[in-house]
Amino acid sequence: GQARRDELKDKLEQADIVIQQELEEALALWSEKLIGPSIRQMREDYRKTLLEVLPESEVNKVLGRLLHGPIKGIRAVAREHGYEAAKRYFDEIKYLK
């Protein structure tokens, strides 16, 4: 009986680890999804600004290069620290949707 209980305990501990990992991944993806509208708004605002000084044919290329780092960074913040940390960033730069 004790061997069976020990085996079940080990399996439950392994299942708990898997569930915890899956939950963390799902929460990270959810946080990233929540910031999507703010990222889109930021891209659109930058696009409008660039259109004032560049031909439209150049805007998308410059826009991608200009925002690649900040967007990659804010997505990492959302995954690592959650939506509230990313929200704080967007609150500061006025792009929270």
Side-chain angles (χ1 to χ4, degrees):
Q2 183 62 40
R4 178 73 178 135
R5 285 189 294 276
D6 290 342
E7 180 183 337
L8 285 173
K9 181 181 176 188
D10 289 342
K11 287 183 180 182
L12 286 173
E13 287 172 356
Q14 291 172 357
D16 187 49
I17 290 169
V18 169
I19 290 169
Q20 187 66 28
Q21 290 171 339
E22 292 292 322
L23 179 60
E24 287 174 8
E25 185 176 323
L27 289 173
L29 291 172
W30 180 249
S31 290
E32 195 171 332
K33 184 177 179 95
L34 288 174
I35 64 169
S38 296
I39 289 173
R40 282 190 292 281
Q41 183 63 50
M42 183 173 68
R43 287 183 64 85
E44 184 56 32
D45 288 351
Y46 273 70
R47 187 176 192 292
K48 287 176 185 176
T49 300
L50 289 172
L51 282 170
E52 294 173 8
V53 296
L54 292 174
E56 190 167 357
S57 61
E58 294 293 313
V59 167
N60 288 335
K61 181 169 57 172
V62 171
L63 184 63
R65 293 177 87 183
L66 184 65
L67 290 178
H68 175 75
I71 290 173
K72 186 175 179 179
I74 197 61
R75 285 181 171 155
V77 166
R79 283 190 308 273
E80 181 82 17
H81 302 288
Y83 171 71
E84 288 302 317
K87 179 184 179 300
R88 177 76 171 122
Y89 172 81
F90 283 117
D91 284 345
E92 286 297 314
I93 63 168
K94 312 294 188 239
Y95 286 114
L96 186 66
K97 287 290 170 189

